[in-house]
Amino acid sequence: METAIVPVTMPDTPITLTENGEPLSSEVQPNKRKRKKSIVWDYFTEEIVGDGCVRAFCNQCKKSFAYITGTKVAGTSHLKRHIALGICPVSRERNQLIPDPKTGNTIDQPRKRQRTTHRIENIPFNQENCNHEIAKMIIMHEYPLHIVEHSGFIDFVRTLQPQFNMVSFNTIQGDCVSLYLKEKQRLLNFINEIPGRVSLTMDFWISNQTVGYVFLRGQFIDTEWNLHRCLLNVVTVPSPDSDSALQQAVVSCLSDWYLENRLFTLTLDQSFSNENMNESLRALFSVRYPYVLHGQLLIGNCFARVISLLAQEALWVVGETVKKIRESVKFVKTSDTHEETFFHLKEKLKEPSLKEIFIDDQTKWNTTYDMLVAACELKQVFLFLETSIPDYNIAPSMDDWKQIEILCTYLKLFFDAVSILTAQTYPTANAFYHEVSKVQLELTHASMSNDPFISSLTKPLKEKFDRYWSDCFLVLAIAVVMDPRFKMKLVEFSFSRIYGDDAGMWVKIVDDGIHELYLEYTTQEVHPPETFVEERNERSIPEENGSIIPRNGPPEDGYLQGHPEEGYLKEGACQEVACLEMPHQEVPSQDPLISIGDGLSDFDVYISEMGDNHQMKSELDQYLEESLLPREQDFNILSWWKLNKTKYPILWKMASDILSIPFSTVSPDSVFDTERKKMDNYHSSLLPVTLEALICAKDWLQYGGISQSCMQ
């Protein structure tokens, strides 16, 4: 039996909803009739179909929809969709047949009431701005330049804005390079204003075309004592194996950014360099940039790469056992039945672990570590799985699990050490000493273990890490000395645990090294190096990158040679400072008597001067003798040095350079990589200038760390 449809006779007082969506009672209904504001009532009619039930009927197709049932109100969203989305068959048919008289296009949505709000049609179309945004989109999201020639993209853009004239490949390539040059000039102006020096890192990418790519990043502290790390150049190297390849890339970068006299340190990944390349760089710095440490700029190794190599070797030592764990995890995760059985066993055994097993990505060693940790916590489940699934015959033994647990202990040590590189903000140089010295101490201790498995696992690791420690311990120690919470005390404490009875000798190397460096900064205050201030104020980006011809003159006397343990400390700087302190020579007076008054006035001056001389201490000695600051978790070392500029005017400059030394060459997303970065075929096919523009501009716009407010 069909329900009779009774037309609604609307009362003078319409239904009004409370805050809970229920209609008000008749006693509280307002007397004034309110007009419905929704546009849907141009297309629908309310009709009562039963006691307390009101439905909305489409005026065109006559289909009914729920509106009010008792105290519940359905709203109007579903009514709008019926018309706006073309669900109504009658409305859809009419829209296809009747064109819009203004545009000529068919009407695909209901007419809207005129409102007094700002209309988007009033915004003028700007082709140049659109071109800029497309170039920025391509850079930020690494879309191919050919996207402007893709028919789907062209149709999409024309639908959004019919007035837009799609640009060609050459045009958008030029727009991307122009955006890059504009951002480069802003960054160049910003770097030109920083008070200190710039340290560089060098990373190397390979390609299928046997062409190499050198990534050069700069790290520095600005005038507000904020640490910045940004990509400066991507240099295409046709012959990566050439001994001069890296030198040419560095020279090109220094010339490009006018850093010839402002370079402080260079950190590179020695896994892609050889001794000839390193010596070539050392010779370049000694001759060209002799202002800090007599030109012996510090060339270290990438901390992340070193730790990654240690982790890979540790995994290789127990490779067969790791393979068993991986195959066991695959057995469970690649079958719904096996995974369900594994889950039921876990519930039955009441395993407290909240970790879920997963298959690792072997290009990221931290995922292998996480897989092993999760598997170890669920080893009892794996042991019982063999009795539940007959096909499972690769269960690791208890000895295997014990080896994996020991392995995870040292993988955790490595993981924690490099985790500081994955933080949102890059750490200052002082943060690395504790992590590196902790690894050195633990490997030294483990290599002497009575457990044959532990000693055999860690001895090769210690031998490799010893080379990194011997190359970098001095720089690491000097950096932590600039932390007022530790100074020399942490060096003395950690060296006593690492070197035992020989600690005093190594502590002296650090103490002499930081005093040597301080004397050089003192010397620069008296005889500063050429800075080309006037020239730098007029700098602009050249159209073509030039090169610098090295000077043929000999290096300055006294510059350092060899590694820190091979006669690192020289007395050249001390002698230079001593030469500046010329002894006072009295000029013979024409007076017959040399005494004034009672002859004791000069004695008072003499005592005063002698007392002052005894009390005179260098800024460095004064800083080192002062009490340590409390070791607070939220301590900001950059803010502390910013506030103490007046107290330590020379140490302030020294701290600015030292704290910005980078110890890793890779980006945060590559810290755990087990393979060298490889340029894809698309980017390899681009012109070198275009490739550099796309990669550098993305870093500056998204990852560079130089905020827009800083560069304005």
Side-chain angles (χ1 to χ4, degrees), residues 318-333 357-360 368-379 382 392 394-405 407-408:
V318 288
E320 290 300 320
T321 307
V322 172
K323 184 178 179 181
K324 285 183 182 180
I325 303 295
R326 183 180 291 115
E327 293 301 321
S328 296
V329 173
K330 286 182 180 179
F331 182 85
V332 174
K333 297 298 293 183
I357 59 173
F358 64 94
I359 304 172
D360 64 328
T368 305
Y369 162 65
D370 290 337
M371 178 190 72
L372 296 176
V373 170
C376 282
E377 292 190 10
L378 297 170
K379 63 181 178 182
F382 280 103
Y392 180 61
I394 54 175
S397 64
M398 289 303 297
D399 288 340
D400 291 335
W401 287 112
K402 183 179 179 181
Q403 288 185 359
I404 294 299
E405 288 174 349
L407 171 66
C408 287

Side-chain angles (χ1 to χ4, degrees), residues 484 487 621-629 640 647-648:
K487 302 182 182 179
D621 291 332
Q622 180 183 346
Y623 164 78
L624 293 176
E625 291 178 7
E626 290 180 349
S627 300
L628 302 180
L629 294 184
W640 188 88
K647 185 176 182 180
Y648 304 113

Side-chain angles (χ1 to χ4, degrees), residues 655-702:
S656 174
D657 294 338
I658 292 174
L659 294 177
S660 62
I661 296 176
F663 288 98
S664 175
T665 65
V666 300
S667 57
D669 60 345
S670 302
V671 169
F672 302 103
D673 284 359
T674 59
E675 297 178 355
R676 182 160 301 286
K677 284 290 187 180
K678 189 174 185 178
M679 193 72 71
D680 59 64
N681 291 334
Y682 163 69
H683 284 93
S684 297
S685 67
L686 299 173
L687 295 173
V689 63
T690 305
L691 173 68
E692 184 176 45
L694 294 176
I695 297 178
C696 289
K698 178 183 177 179
D699 182 83
W700 302 336
L701 294 173
Q702 187 171 353

Side-chain angles (χ1 to χ4, degrees), residues 30-318:
N31 294 327
K32 185 177 180 181
R33 180 185 179 91
K34 292 185 178 180
R35 175 178 176 273
K36 292 183 179 296
K37 296 181 179 180
S38 177
I39 64 172
V40 301
W41 300 116
D42 292 346
Y43 301 90
F44 287 87
T45 302
E46 294 176 293
E47 296 185 7
I48 298 176
V49 295
D51 186 17
C53 181
V54 179
R55 296 184 68 83
F57 284 80
C58 177
N59 295 337
Q60 300 181 77
C61 67
K62 306 304 180 185
K63 185 177 180 179
S64 67
F65 298 85
Y67 182 51
I68 299 176
T69 303
T71 60
K72 303 294 183 181
V73 179
T76 60
S77 297
H78 61 306
L79 307 181
K80 292 179 182 178
R81 289 194 294 269
H82 179 70
I83 298 298
L85 299 181
I87 299 175
C88 176
V90 178
S91 176
R92 183 169 61 248
E93 182 178 355
R94 290 179 178 177
N95 289 342
Q96 291 174 349
L97 297 176
I98 302 175
D100 189 319
K102 294 183 179 180
T103 65
N105 299 327
T106 56
I107 302 173
D108 56 0
Q109 59 181 358
R111 173 178 51 84
K112 294 186 178 181
R113 293 173 181 166
Q114 296 294 327
R115 301 182 184 272
T116 58
T117 57
H118 178 73
R119 302 185 64 182
I120 194 170
E121 289 84 352
N122 295 332
I123 300 177
F125 169 72
N126 190 306
Q127 176 78 33
E128 184 177 350
N129 288 347
C130 292
N131 292 352
H132 174 81
E133 290 302 319
I134 289 182
K136 187 176 178 181
M137 176 194 73
I138 289 174
I139 291 173
M140 293 287 289
H141 303 287
E142 298 185 8
Y143 296 135
L145 293 171
H146 290 91
I147 192 174
V148 296
E149 297 176 345
H150 295 173
S151 58
F153 182 70
I154 294 173
D155 293 341
F156 171 71
V157 173
R158 285 178 178 171
T159 302
L160 293 178
Q161 177 52 264
Q163 299 181 56
F164 179 74
N165 294 320
M166 182 54 67
V167 295
S168 65
F169 173 87
N170 290 334
T171 301
I172 198 62
Q173 180 177 237
D175 290 343
C176 289
V177 173
S178 296
L179 191 153
Y180 154 76
L181 292 175
K182 180 181 178 181
E183 293 299 319
K184 183 176 183 179
Q185 183 65 61
R186 287 159 54 85
L187 180 57
L188 179 62
N189 294 339
F190 182 73
I191 294 177
N192 184 50
E193 299 299 326
I194 66 173
R197 300 177 182 273
V198 177
S199 290
L200 295 180
T201 69
M202 180 186 295
D203 198 17
F204 189 79
W205 288 29
I206 59 176
S207 68
N208 291 330
Q209 289 75 21
T210 66
V211 174
Y213 301 92
V214 178
F215 283 64
L216 288 146
R217 287 183 171 84
Q219 192 157 305
F220 54 88
I221 291 175
D222 65 17
T223 55
E224 295 299 320
W225 276 81
N226 298 307
L227 180 64
H228 298 282
R229 177 182 173 89
C230 53
L231 185 63
L232 298 181
N233 290 96
V234 179
V235 182
T236 303
V237 181
S239 303
D241 297 331
S242 170
D243 292 344
S244 61
L246 300 186
Q247 185 188 88
Q248 292 172 359
V250 173
V251 170
S252 175
C253 176
L254 297 178
S255 172
D256 206 15
W257 294 90
Y258 301 98
L259 298 175
E260 293 91 342
N261 299 295
R262 306 184 70 190
L263 179 62
F264 188 58
T265 65
L266 173 69
T267 305
L268 55 85
D269 178 10
Q270 292 184 354
S271 64
F272 67 80
S273 63
N274 54 46
E275 190 59 31
N276 291 336
M277 291 182 178
N278 294 343
E279 289 303 320
S280 175
L281 289 172
R282 288 180 186 275
L284 170 70
F285 298 148
S286 297
V287 175
R288 299 282 301 282
Y289 319 115
Y291 303 111
V292 177
L293 292 177
H294 307 287
Q296 188 57 50
L297 296 179
L298 305 168
I299 304 176
N301 206 339
C302 173
F303 181 51
R305 297 282 195 201
V306 170
I307 294 296
S308 180
L309 291 174
L310 295 183
Q312 291 178 69
E313 177 154 347
L315 289 167
W316 178 82
V317 171
V318 288

